[in-house]
């Protein structure tokens, strides 16, 4: 019920945003004497805000304006084509395509990496960098190697592949990554750094133990995290994707709201408790039917055969998983959440670190805290209080500056009115100003509008970060000639920016302060042409 309610509220907000933009476009078209909405604009509303075409037709039709539906459909077709190409060129599809000949030949690799970090295996296939079969790879060359047996874990199930070394009687190579284009085939990406590697040789394959151990820490801890999230947030939590590597773990899960600081802290406590309890991690191969009967959890995106690998942390977690894991949870060392964010409607993401990476992260925080303490000349327990006090002081001073600027602008209003020009029968006032904030700039514009009931007013102000903010106001009696969004489009281009807004008021941002004078000249030119 909560998910449905929030989805309805989000769609309502989408409609509100879309209606504002649509009404601005209709006002712009009316100002230009046009009665047709471009298909590209309607598609942008749909693609960016999820605004349905039938609502665009309904709102526009009531005002005598049509929509270029054929152009809309052309944009839709083009987007689908782009998306299809992007999907075809991504991830495991690429891998399967490059190694299609290996898959068709029925090559298989025996994986011994659960028990061994080093193994001997006959090189049954070598490919060059383009994926073409070759008899040898020489020093300085890169390519792909397939061995009959390997201890290297090929990337799959959300876990990155192993790296390490390959040695043969005639040469050696670095294994940069290991891929798994099929369930029983592992392919190693190699770079020959000594001698040559020949097809048919017996090779010694050695996994980088530190990276493997770091990945295993993160993978086992991912299982602990999954269990902890279900305890803290509820049984609705399910894995929606993951990425496990030696540096950190990333875990996507179903949940409808951001986690609170208290919830994150509780999850960290539960996971670290399981680590400190040093629980043995079990792995066994059983039938899928037996695993499900025992309550094992199947993970998102995984395909399971009749026989499955069951990974269990007794009393904590039981999942179907073919990845590499620790022997005991205590080997993870520690666990710390780095971030918790939303990635899609109803999907949250946690990134976390374990072992040495967690220690490095915490030491980095301590160093940053030390630098803040030095600046504030405060003890650790005083930092938060000092920062809050300074933030309140800055806010007060900012309000004082804005108040003084508004007062100054009001006093200058009379002097600025001397700069009003009559251009083709329209009163135009365009000035360069200074403002501490957008609010201060809007207050200045309000002061000008009160003194210019009919006409066009423009204020351009440089910002502290070297950019430009432009405001344009057009009185209602001039909307038949032009609107603020119409004028600001070309004016903002002079300062390297863009913008939009309501018919009576538009705002733009730019990056070229030197273009302010040109922007003022452009406004006068546009008013003259319209007149």
């Amino acid at each position: 019920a909560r998910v449905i309610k929030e989805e309805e509220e989000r769609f309502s907000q989408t409609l509100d945003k879309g209606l504002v933009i649509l009404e601005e476009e209709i006002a712009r078209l009316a100002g230009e004497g046009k009665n047709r909405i471009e298909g590209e604009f309607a598609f942008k509303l749909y693609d960016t805000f999820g605004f349905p075409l039938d609502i665009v037709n309904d709102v526009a039709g009531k005002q005598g304006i049509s929509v270029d539906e054929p152009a809309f459909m052309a944009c839709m077709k083009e987007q689908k084509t782009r998306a299809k190409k992007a999907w075809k060129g991504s991830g495991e599809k690429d891998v399967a395509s490059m190694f299609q000949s290996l898959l068709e030949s029925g090559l298989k690799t025996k994986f011994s990496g659960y028990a061994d970090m080093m193994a001997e295996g006959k090189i049954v296939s070598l490919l060059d960098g383009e994926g073409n079969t070759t008899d040898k790879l020489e020093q300085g060359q890169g390519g792909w190697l397939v061995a009959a047996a390997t201890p290297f874990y090929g990337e799959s199930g959300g876990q990155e592949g192993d790296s390490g070394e390959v040695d043969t009687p005639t040469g050696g190579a670095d294994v940069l990554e290991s891929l798994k284009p099929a369930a029983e085939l592992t392919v190693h990406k190699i770079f020959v750094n000594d001698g040559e590697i020949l097809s048919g040789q017996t090779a010694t394959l050695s996994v980088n133990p530190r990276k493997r151990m770091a990945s295993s820490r993160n993978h086992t801890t991912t299982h602990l995290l999954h269990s902890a999230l279900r305890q803290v947030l509820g049984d609705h939590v399910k894995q929606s994707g993951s990425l496990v590597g030696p540096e950190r773990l990333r875990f996507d899960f179903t949940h409808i709201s951001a986690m609170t600081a208290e919830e994150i802290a509780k999850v960290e406590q539960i996971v670290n408790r399981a680590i400190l309890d040093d629980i043995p991690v079990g792995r066994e191969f059983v039938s899928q039917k037996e695993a499900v009967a025992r309550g094992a959890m199947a993970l998102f995106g995984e395909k399971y055969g009749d026989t499955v690998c069951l990974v269990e942390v007794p009393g904590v977690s039981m999942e179907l998983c073919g990845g590499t894991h620790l022997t005991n949870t205590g080997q993870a060392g520690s666990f710390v959440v780095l971030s918790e964010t939303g990635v899609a409607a109803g999907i949250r993401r946690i990134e976390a670190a374990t072992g040495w990476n967690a220690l490095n992260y915490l030491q980095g925080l301590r160093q940053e805290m030390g630098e803040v303490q030095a600046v504030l000349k405060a003890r650790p327990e005083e930092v938060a209080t000092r920062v809050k006090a300074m933030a309140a002081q800055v806010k007060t001073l900012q309000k004082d500056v804005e108040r003084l600027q508004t007062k100054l602008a009001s006093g200058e209003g009379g002097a600025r009115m001397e700069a009003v020009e009559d251009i083709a029968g329209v009163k135009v006032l365009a000035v360069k100003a200074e403002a501490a904030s957008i609010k201060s700039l809007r207050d200045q514009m309000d002061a000008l509008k009160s003194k210019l009931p009919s006409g066009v007013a423009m204020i351009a102000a440089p910002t502290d970060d070297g950019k430009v903010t432009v405001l344009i106001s057009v009185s209602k009696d001039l909307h038949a000639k032009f609107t603020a969004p119409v004028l600001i489009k070309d004016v903002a281009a002079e300062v390297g920016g863009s913008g939009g807004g309501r018919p009576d008021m538009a705002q733009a941002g730019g990056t070229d302060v030197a273009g302010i004078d040109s922007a003022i000249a452009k406004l006068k030119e546009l008013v003259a042409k319209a007149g």
Side-chain angles (χ1 to χ4, degrees):
R2 183 177 169 189
V3 170
I4 293 171
K5 183 175 183 294
E6 291 188 0
E7 191 67 28
E8 182 181 355
E9 290 173 349
R10 276 195 293 268
F11 186 65
S12 179
Q13 292 170 359
T14 293
L15 288 181
D16 290 341
K17 290 179 183 177
L19 280 172
V20 170
I21 296 172
L22 178 57
E23 288 169 357
E24 289 173 357
E25 178 68 4
I26 289 174
R28 184 186 72 80
L29 293 173
E32 296 178 358
K34 298 179 180 178
N35 63 355
R36 189 175 179 83
I37 292 176
E38 297 294 332
E40 291 82 359
F41 175 83
F43 179 74
K44 183 179 179 182
L45 273 181
Y46 168 79
D47 192 41
T48 306
F49 298 98
F51 202 83
L53 178 62
D54 57 348
I55 295 182
V56 178
N57 273 319
D58 185 52
V59 174
K62 290 177 181 177
Q63 300 188 46
I65 294 178
S66 62
V67 180
D68 187 349
E69 289 196 36
F72 174 89
M73 298 308 297
C75 290
M76 178 73 79
K77 185 177 180 181
E78 182 181 346
Q79 187 206 47
K80 288 181 178 178
T81 301
R82 284 197 305 267
K84 193 172 183 180
K85 286 181 179 178
W87 181 84
K88 281 185 175 180
S90 67
E92 295 188 7
K93 180 69 177 178
D94 254 355
V95 175
S97 177
M98 177 176 285
F99 305 119
Q100 189 63 38
S101 61
L102 298 180
L103 297 172
E104 291 173 353
S105 69
L107 275 182
K108 293 184 179 181
T109 304
K110 181 181 178 182
F111 176 62
S112 61
Y114 290 139
D116 303 318
M117 301 286 275
M118 180 185 294
E120 288 191 348
K122 181 181 178 181
I123 300 175
V124 293
S125 182
L126 281 177
L127 307 177
D128 62 20
E130 301 299 319
N132 301 311
T133 303
T134 183
D135 291 330
K136 66 178 179 179
L137 291 173
E138 299 177 338
Q139 184 174 350
Q141 287 186 311
W144 303 87
L145 179 152
V146 180
T150 180
F152 283 77
Y153 181 83
E155 181 175 342
S156 59
Q159 181 175 331
E160 294 180 11
D162 286 328
S163 60
E165 298 176 349
V166 172
D167 289 301
T168 74
T170 59
D174 291 326
V175 177
L176 306 179
E177 61 178 318
S178 303
L179 305 178
K180 198 172 183 179
E184 296 181 275
L185 177 65
T186 302
V187 182
H188 309 91
K189 184 177 183 180
I190 67 170
F191 180 81
V192 182
N193 53 38
D194 178 46
E196 59 184 10
I197 305 294
L198 306 177
S199 182
Q201 286 183 308
T202 296
T204 300
L205 299 96
S206 306
V207 174
N208 182 314
R210 288 191 176 183
K211 287 189 175 181
R212 162 67 79 82
M213 188 63 177
S215 292
S216 296
R217 287 191 189 100
N218 286 334
H219 206 153
T220 298
T221 306
T222 297
H223 288 209
L224 303 180
L225 171 62
H226 193 181
S227 174
L229 286 169
R230 289 170 64 83
Q231 291 181 55
V232 174
L233 303 178
D235 291 342
H236 65 277
V237 170
K238 296 288 189 299
Q239 179 173 330
S240 294
S242 69
L243 179 63
V244 175
E247 299 300 323
R248 65 177 63 192
L249 66 90
R250 188 181 75 201
F251 186 76
D252 295 348
F253 59 99
T254 52
H255 190 55
I256 57 178
S257 60
M259 292 178 65
T260 65
E262 291 77 12
E263 288 171 337
I264 292 174
K266 192 170 182 180
V267 165
E268 284 181 324
Q269 288 175 348
I270 292 173
V271 173
N272 279 293
R273 184 182 300 120
I275 291 172
L276 292 174
D277 285 345
D278 197 25
I279 307 168
V281 179
R283 176 190 285 110
E284 59 180 315
F285 291 88
V286 298
S287 69
Q288 184 175 355
K289 185 177 180 180
E290 180 185 345
V292 173
R294 288 166 60 177
M297 184 175 294
L299 299 186
F300 172 84
E302 285 289 295
K303 296 178 181 178
Y304 302 103
D306 294 332
T307 300
V308 295
C309 182
L310 182 62
V311 176
E312 181 179 9
V313 180
V316 180
S317 168
M318 185 188 298
E319 297 188 8
L320 305 185
C321 179
T324 65
H325 286 273
L326 303 173
T327 305
N328 297 77
T329 58
Q331 292 173 299
S334 60
F335 167 85
V336 60
V337 172
L338 305 177
S339 65
E340 192 274 346
T341 57
V343 292
I347 303 295
R348 307 297 300 176
R349 169 174 293 172
I350 278 181
E351 293 199 17
T354 63
W356 292 109
N357 296 318
L359 179 62
N360 292 338
Y361 172 74
L362 295 173
Q363 287 180 333
L365 288 183
R366 184 169 61 191
Q367 181 177 343
E368 289 182 15
M369 175 61 80
E371 293 173 1
V372 172
Q373 286 178 243
V375 172
L376 297 176
K377 295 183 172 66
R379 295 191 299 273
E381 64 272 16
E382 297 174 334
V383 169
T385 302
R386 292 277 185 93
V387 170
K388 288 177 183 177
M390 290 177 66
Q393 185 179 22
V394 168
K395 191 173 182 179
T396 300
L397 292 173
Q398 190 173 31
K399 286 182 178 179
D400 289 343
V401 170
E402 289 176 356
R403 188 163 50 249
L404 289 172
Q405 283 192 332
T406 300
K407 186 176 180 180
L408 180 63
S410 179
E412 290 178 344
R416 283 178 171 173
M417 292 304 293
E418 296 178 2
V420 173
E421 298 180 42
D422 190 303
I423 300 176
V426 177
K427 291 182 178 180
V428 178
L429 176 59
V431 296
K432 181 178 179 180
E434 294 183 1
S437 66
I438 186 62
K439 181 181 181 304
S440 175
L441 199 61
R442 287 182 180 276
D443 289 342
Q444 292 186 47
M445 176 60 82
D446 289 341
L448 292 183
K449 286 166 62 179
S450 67
K451 293 179 171 60
L452 190 68
S454 175
V456 177
M458 168 182 162
I459 301 179
T463 59
D464 292 339
D465 56 359
K467 297 182 180 179
V468 184
T469 299
V470 179
L471 292 182
I472 291 181
S473 171
V474 177
S475 59
K476 191 173 182 180
D477 59 302
L478 299 175
H479 289 179
K481 293 184 177 181
F482 41 68
T483 61
V486 171
L487 295 176
I488 208 163
K489 180 180 178 182
D490 292 330
V491 170
E494 297 295 321
V495 291
S498 60
R502 306 186 309 271
D504 63 324
M505 176 71 76
Q507 177 181 327
T511 57
D512 184 9
V513 176
I516 289 180
D517 291 338
S518 298
I520 291 174
K522 174 59 71 172
L523 174 70
K524 295 176 181 179
E525 177 189 327
L526 293 172
V527 173
K529 285 182 179 179

